[in-house]
Amino acid sequence: MGFNRTLRSVPFYRDSHGNKASSGPKQGNLVPDYGFALQNGFETILADTRRMLAETGESPFYESVIAVLEAAMDFADRYREEARQKGNTKLYHALCNIPRKKPASFYESCVFMKFLLFTLRCNRNTHITPGRFDQYMYPFFEGDLKAGSSEESLLETLEEFFISINFDLDIYSGMQQGDSGQSMVLGGYSPSGEDMYNRLSELCIQASLELSLIDPKINLRASSRTPVQRLEFATTLTRQGLGFPQYCNDDIVIPGLTALGYAPEDAYNYAVAACWEYLVSGNAMDIPNLLTMNFPLVVETALRQELCRCASFDAFLDKVKEEIRRECDRLMEAAKIREKDGEFTQKSPYLSIFVGGCLASDKDVAEGGAVYNNYGIHGAGISTAADSLAAVKKAVYEEQICTGEELLEALSDNFEHHAELRNRLLSYPKMGNNEDYVDSLASEIMEAFSAYLNGKPNSAGGIFRAGTGSAMEYLFSAARVGATPDGRKAGQPYGSSFSPAITTKLEGPLSCIQSFTKFDMRKIINGGPLTMEIHDTVFRNEDGIRKVAQLVKGFIDLGGHQLQLNSINRDRLLDAQKHPEDHPNLIVRVWGWSGYFNELDKAYQDHIIQRTEFMC
């Protein structure tokens, strides 16, 4: 496909003083307007920018855009010459046209996309997601079909593109190898109710099935109207053990985004960020993973400061909600500090070209040029916090097996010499088993969080959004929290994002999704999936495929917002830890992305191994 790195080490940037700098612009984790680039070509964009510069008289931003467009086209020309010299006539002829002009074929559009993804990464724009690939690429796919190309040849081109974006992953900044941000969104519904899933959508799933690569990460938009046969086809991809597709529910996400102030046409055009945070395509510079609400830490703070003063559980729960609001204020203040430190002000004129609003407003993305500039706050450890509240309610206020002081002493001792009390705490209701006793408490704290944070203004002219994700914070945030009343010991990890605690004994997959669909998820729509591990033997026959597809449909019909399924086998994972050489291609879902098991830090490997395996 072309545009793979030829230098083994990435060159350094030099600042205005001539000193080496290892990074340039860092804006990313967004969905550029690829359709704008593909439908125009760089020469048209360049001509329009020169016209706007002439009209304004002077504009450092437009001058920068012109410079980077010319540099990008020169870069493509050098690859064109290299292709000519190497005898790659197909790539050479494509580069005679793109990126200067609109692609003339599906192959040229794939080369253009590879060029855009690669150059944006070279520009240090991290976690650039392909977004709604099946929508902006469909006109080129359909054009080739009408011109007589076969689906088989177009699938081959598509697979070449998929293979190409798995190169150079070491320059794709992430927490671990594989955390590349290349999330592709398929399907969805239009404002008129039209099903936008098309033949290219299906071929993208087919290509992923045949290649079994970690990129692109497939996300499937669905709703209560989605045919179950489509979910069954998607489940065959889950069976591959890649950890995707991830499912996004249009019935919940679209109204959730419009409630936050996104225009309906933009809400219907949503995609996901590098992991799962919901973003509108093409015109947003949202930062969806800015900071994290550490729910168990909030509960821990309230326990230490307020538990022994509260005569009733309701009074204590009110104190927890007050602490949630205080923590929201602290997080919003922390965002201001990061802004003042210049973290979000590194200009990126090249990225700005592909973010709607920037060219029209004569502003870089770092200057607020995008249409949307919202901030997302994760919500880590929701189930651990809810389980802890349920344990406090039972142990201290209802059964009175201990006083508040005695519970705090046991927590401070990390349950040393308190084994009997810990066993009682572990036996109390846990989120994931469809017990209203604890699930209602999860809803209470999510309501307190989302009602207070959603819509609060930020300093970038946007708002804050509440979510249920954790990313790597299921390890990092958990490490900061001591023993909790649910029986968890100090520092032990949380469940991944919006999922049961990893030590919870779960009754079954249906009970699990029932627990995690009780809250009105439209209110907490920054993103953060329910993650479920299903034993790989479930997928060995068509009946198992149908059962998993029905589970997905049940989740969507019940009002879940986001679901990711992992086909795993704990015995195989344990063997891979001992004998990694025997499992070089073992892929797992980590949090919002998939990676090769052997390349993960042991802490992530251990977390995946500890998660519950469901037998549908």
Side-chain angles (χ1 to χ4, degrees):
M1 196 60 65
F3 303 108
N4 301 315
R5 187 163 96 249
T6 57
L7 297 176
R8 291 184 61 84
S9 59
V10 180
F12 284 97
Y13 290 87
R14 292 190 180 274
D15 61 23
S16 58
H17 303 289
N19 299 317
K20 284 185 177 181
S22 60
S23 65
K26 293 182 179 179
Q27 287 87 357
N29 217 3
L30 54 75
V31 187
D33 191 347
Y34 300 111
F36 169 72
L38 291 166
Q39 291 297 328
N40 287 281
F42 280 12
E43 286 184 347
T44 295
I45 299 171
L46 180 62
D48 288 343
T49 306
R50 284 174 172 156
R51 174 183 53 77
M52 289 185 285
L53 175 61
E55 291 173 353
T56 58
E58 181 180 359
S59 166
F61 172 65
Y62 287 147
E63 290 169 359
S64 298
V65 168
I66 290 168
V68 294
L69 279 170
E70 290 176 338
M73 288 188 289
D74 178 68
F75 178 72
D77 290 346
R78 296 202 303 273
Y79 268 86
R80 181 186 65 198
E81 179 59 22
E82 183 72 10
R84 185 189 66 79
Q85 292 182 9
K86 293 293 176 70
N88 189 341
T89 57
K90 186 177 182 181
L91 179 60
Y92 168 76
H93 287 300
L95 294 176
C96 287
N97 189 45
I98 62 96
R100 293 180 178 274
K101 301 185 186 302
K102 176 180 177 178
S105 66
F106 183 64
Y107 170 74
E108 287 191 3
S109 68
C110 286
V111 175
F112 203 145
M113 274 299 298
K114 170 64 177 177
F115 172 79
L116 289 171
L117 291 170
F118 184 64
T119 52
L120 284 165
R121 299 288 183 155
C122 290
N123 196 50
R124 293 296 197 268
N125 299 121
T126 62
H127 287 88
I128 297 299
T129 165
R132 302 189 72 192
F133 182 87
D134 61 341
Q135 302 304 306
Y136 58 77
M137 293 290 279
Y138 188 72
F140 304 101
F141 174 82
E142 185 181 39
D144 275 17
L145 284 178
K146 290 180 177 178
S149 296
S150 67
E151 280 197 357
E152 290 76 10
S153 67
L154 296 178
L155 176 61
E156 183 178 349
T157 296
L158 180 64
E159 291 184 344
E160 288 178 2
F161 172 72
F162 278 21
I163 292 169
S164 76
I165 65 174
N166 282 269
F167 295 145
D168 304 321
L169 292 180
D170 57 320
I171 67 169
Y172 288 16
S173 175
M175 291 299 299
Q176 296 269 281
Q177 186 80 357
D179 181 19
S180 61
Q182 298 190 108
S183 292
M184 179 178 290
V185 177
L186 306 176
Y189 290 83
S190 71
S192 64
E194 180 185 0
D195 186 353
M196 302 303 290
Y197 184 88
N198 56 44
R199 185 56 181 151
L200 179 56
S201 316
E202 196 158 276
L203 288 184
C204 286
I205 296 176
Q206 184 65 38
S208 191
L209 271 167
E210 294 182 2
L211 297 173
S212 290
L213 296 171
I214 60 174
D215 280 329
K217 282 86 176 174
I218 302 296
N219 296 261
L220 181 62
R221 284 177 50 173
S223 84
S224 58
R225 295 168 287 170
T226 299
V228 70
Q229 293 82 1
R230 186 179 306 166
L231 302 179
E232 290 174 358
F233 179 50
T235 301
T236 63
L237 182 54
T238 303
R239 177 173 57 187
Q240 294 288 95
L242 303 175
F244 47 77
Q246 178 173 244
Y247 296 93
C248 305
N249 187 354
D250 279 16
D251 294 340
I252 301 300
V253 179
I254 293 168
L257 291 174
T258 54
L260 287 171
Y262 292 90
E265 62 271 19
D266 291 325
Y268 274 90
N269 197 29
Y270 80 86
V272 297
C275 292
W276 23 249
E277 301 93 336
Y278 290 119
L279 298 173
V280 299
S281 302
N283 60 0
M285 187 56 238
D286 292 345
I287 305 176
N289 57 349
L290 183 64
L291 293 161
T292 300
M293 167 67 70
N294 188 345
F295 278 102
L297 181 61
V298 167
V299 172
E300 180 181 67
T301 302
L303 282 167
R304 291 174 177 172
Q305 297 178 356
E306 305 292 346
L307 178 62
C308 296
R309 302 178 187 177
C310 296
S312 68
F313 177 75
D314 286 344
F316 175 66
L317 183 58
D318 286 341
K319 295 298 182 182
V320 171
K321 293 177 182 178
E322 288 177 14
E323 188 59 33
I324 288 173
R325 292 188 284 270
R326 279 193 289 270
E327 182 65 5
C328 285
D329 288 335
R330 189 194 69 79
L331 291 170
M332 289 186 284
E333 189 60 32
K336 292 180 183 178
I337 293 171
R338 291 175 66 172
E339 287 174 331
K340 290 177 181 177
D341 289 343
E343 186 171 339
F344 313 139
T345 58
Q346 292 174 303
K347 295 181 181 179
S348 185
Y350 187 58
L351 177 63
S352 300
I353 296 167
F354 315 113
V355 178
C358 293
L359 289 174
S361 64
D362 188 13
K363 289 182 180 179
D364 191 278
V365 289
E367 300 172 314
V371 176
Y372 301 102
N373 295 276
N374 300 326
Y375 294 164
I377 305 293
H378 289 328
I382 291 171
S383 57
T384 295
D387 294 349
S388 296
L389 291 173
V392 170
K393 184 178 181 181
K394 278 276 190 187
V396 177
Y397 294 99
E398 292 182 352
E399 296 183 354
Q400 298 181 354
I401 64 170
C402 65
T403 64
E405 290 85 355
E406 289 169 339
L407 176 61
L408 290 172
E409 180 184 354
L411 297 177
S412 296
D413 292 343
N414 199 24
F415 294 114
E416 291 296 323
H417 312 299
H418 301 275
E420 184 177 351
L421 175 58
R422 181 172 184 246
N423 287 335
R424 288 291 295 274
L425 297 172
L426 286 168
S427 72
Y428 289 145
K430 299 289 187 285
M431 195 175 183
N433 287 316
N434 191 27
E435 295 189 64
D436 287 340
Y437 189 93
V438 61
D439 297 343
S440 63
L441 293 171
S443 295
E444 291 263 14
I445 61 175
M446 286 192 286
E447 176 67 29
F449 175 42
S450 58
Y452 189 76
L453 184 72
N454 280 340
K456 286 285 195 304
N458 64 22
S459 299
I463 61 166
F464 285 92
R465 319 184 318 180
T468 53
S470 68
M472 62 284 186
E473 296 300 327
Y474 62 69
L475 295 183
F476 295 174
S477 286
R480 300 168 50 203
V481 179
T484 45
D486 61 333
R488 169 190 160 275
K489 288 197 170 184
Q492 288 186 337
Y494 306 150
S496 178
S497 293
F498 191 48
S499 303
I502 59 174
T503 55
T504 298
K505 295 180 180 179
L506 298 168
E507 295 179 0
L510 180 57
S511 295
C512 184
I513 68 170
Q514 286 172 322
S515 277
F516 287 88
T517 53
K518 289 180 180 177
F519 185 66
D520 184 352
M521 302 307 297
R522 294 172 296 182
K523 297 179 178 180
I524 195 163
I525 208 65
N526 190 65
L530 169 61
T531 301
M532 299 174 67
E533 275 65 38
I534 299 177
H535 198 279
D536 61 5
T537 55
V538 171
F539 299 92
R540 287 183 179 172
N541 56 50
E542 292 304 312
D543 185 55
I545 294 290
R546 284 192 293 270
K547 286 181 178 180
V548 175
Q550 288 293 338
L551 183 70
V552 174
K553 179 169 176 52
F555 176 82
I556 292 168
D557 291 346
L558 285 169
H561 68 323
Q562 202 164 43
L563 176 68
Q564 58 184 24
L565 302 175
N566 221 355
S567 170
I568 65 169
N569 184 308
R570 182 174 287 115
D571 292 338
R572 185 180 300 120
L573 297 178
L574 289 168
D575 190 65
Q577 277 193 322
K578 294 179 181 178
H579 307 289
E581 68 280 0
D582 295 336
H583 305 272
N585 298 315
L586 179 59
I587 295 173
V588 292
R589 191 74 171 184
V590 186
W591 60 78
W593 53 277
S594 300
Y596 291 102
F597 184 78
N598 294 337
E599 295 178 349
L600 302 177
D601 289 347
K602 188 174 183 298
Y604 295 116
Q605 292 181 345
D606 289 344
H607 193 277
I608 294 165
I609 289 170
Q610 291 178 60
R611 299 173 190 171
T612 297
E613 289 178 308
F614 285 111
M615 303 290 291
C616 286

